[in-house]
Amino acid sequence: MLLEVKDINVYYGVIHAIKNVSFEVNQGEIVALIGANGAGKTSIMHTISGLIRSRSGSIHFDGKDISKVASHKIPGLGLVQVPEGRHVFTEMTVLENLEMGAYLRKDKENIQKDLEKVFKRFSRLEERKNQLAGTLSGGEQQMLAMGRALMSKPSLLLLDEPSMGLSPILVNEIFDIIKSINKDGVTVLLVEQNANKALSIADRAYVLETGNVIVSGQAKEVADNPKVKEAYLG
Ligand code: ATP
């Protein structure tokens, strides 16, 4: 098991946003967390990456309890988040953004090789490597945010709504890339409102509703669940 989230509870003032949520991600898997707006997906991501704290429970990554580790130390452990809305450095070039992804690495000699790999995977980024990131299209910024995360050599990649705001063709492209990143050995936790797409590439899935996990299982089983079909698959 690479990530084990156990009984976490998140509050915003009196709002109990995450209620006793538990789930796990095994090495090599793609796991999807799906749910409607406000279900609590982003709150869970932020709790894992240390941006907000759970009042109880635990979060173990690679056997280590990270629930009290400072958020800026978490990427160095191999757990890297691509946040919703991408957050690329808009005033820096594509290349500079990618280099920023590698700033914590100690194996400096391999960085160039990994940069070439990122450019191979995202050819649009190579074509635009000297362009300011703020001038990229939404899909290109998503690719850059993913490429930057890969430059830090994560063992677990947290992707928060990678399909948001993208055209259907680009959504397919991004999901194909997620699959190929996973094939290359990166474990993926994917948060998505686009349940159809997320379930089509995930091994397992958890469905969230108002801060609770209401259904979980193999992605195929979840996709066949009548309740999920009616509420999330249209
Ligand atoms: P979306 O897909 O719309 O981003 P989500 O599933 O990621 O939704 P969260 O953003 O985690 O959901 O929000 C879960 C609940 O917590 C919502 O009811 C939201 O209004 C509430 N919430 C989130 N952040 C805060 C905050 N900073 N202060 C108060 N309430 C918050």
Side-chain angles (χ1 to χ4, degrees), residues 12 15 17 36-44 84 161 193:
Y12 297 106
I15 300 169
N37 272 319
K41 305 179 299 295
T42 300
S43 299
I44 291 175
E84 187 178 335
E161 309 251 7
Q193 270 191 62

Side-chain angles (χ1 to χ4, degrees), residues 20-38:
N20 278 318
V21 165
S22 298
F23 64 93
E24 69 262 343
V25 181
N26 298 307
Q27 186 91 43
E29 282 187 313
I30 299 180
V31 171
L33 285 182
I34 56 180
N37 272 319

Side-chain angles (χ1 to χ4, degrees), residues 22-219:
S22 298
F23 64 93
E24 69 262 343
V25 181
N26 298 307
Q27 186 91 43
E29 282 187 313
I30 299 180
V31 171
L33 285 182
I34 56 180
N37 272 319
K41 305 179 299 295
T42 300
S43 299
I44 291 175
M45 286 299 217
H46 286 169
T47 310
I48 296 169
S49 53
L51 294 170
I52 53 178
R53 298 291 179 196
S54 170
R55 268 201 203 168
S56 56
S58 64
I59 302 172
H60 282 83
F61 175 65
D62 214 3
K64 183 180 157 110
D65 186 353
I66 58 163
S67 53
K68 293 187 180 61
V69 174
S71 60
H72 67 277
K73 297 225 164 104
I74 289 187
L77 303 175
L79 197 169
V80 178
Q81 184 177 6
V82 178
E84 187 178 335
R86 294 116 203 186
H87 299 288
V88 296
F89 302 113
T90 53
E91 299 298 319
M92 293 172 117
T93 66
V94 166
L95 182 60
E96 287 163 347
N97 267 272
L98 293 172
E99 286 167 350
M100 287 296 287
Y103 87 109
L104 278 176
R105 283 173 63 173
K106 297 193 175 68
D107 60 330
K108 301 287 178 205
E109 65 283 1
N110 295 322
I111 291 176
Q112 187 58 34
K113 245 190 256 157
D114 287 330
L115 188 62
E116 281 158 25
K117 264 201 221 163
V118 166
F119 281 148
K120 205 164 160 208
R121 180 163 272 137
F122 302 100
S123 54
R124 284 161 191 249
L125 295 184
E126 181 161 31
E127 291 158 17
R128 292 165 173 78
K129 67 180 170 195
N130 297 316
Q131 191 173 324
L132 288 183
T135 64
L136 296 174
S137 73
E140 289 159 2
Q141 288 191 21
Q142 180 63 45
M143 291 178 191
L144 180 56
M146 286 166 64
R148 186 181 56 187
L150 289 175
M151 287 302 292
S152 60
K153 272 205 165 305
S155 45
L156 176 61
L157 196 57
L158 306 185
L159 298 173
D160 196 350
E161 309 251 7
S163 77
M164 187 149 66
L166 304 185
S167 68
I169 291 176
L170 262 181
V171 170
N172 287 339
E173 198 177 319
I174 291 284
F175 275 80
D176 285 345
I177 291 170
I178 297 169
K179 250 167 81 178
S180 85
I181 290 169
N182 175 253
K183 275 216 178 91
D184 282 355
V186 181
T187 305
V188 176
L189 176 61
L190 172 68
V191 162
E192 260 299 339
Q193 270 191 62
N194 188 335
N196 269 315
K197 284 307 293 184
L199 290 172
S200 75
I201 65 162
D203 298 298
R204 291 187 305 110
Y206 294 83
V207 183
L208 275 175
E209 215 169 81
T210 56
N212 295 289
V213 173
I214 56 155
V215 175
S216 65
Q218 297 296 316

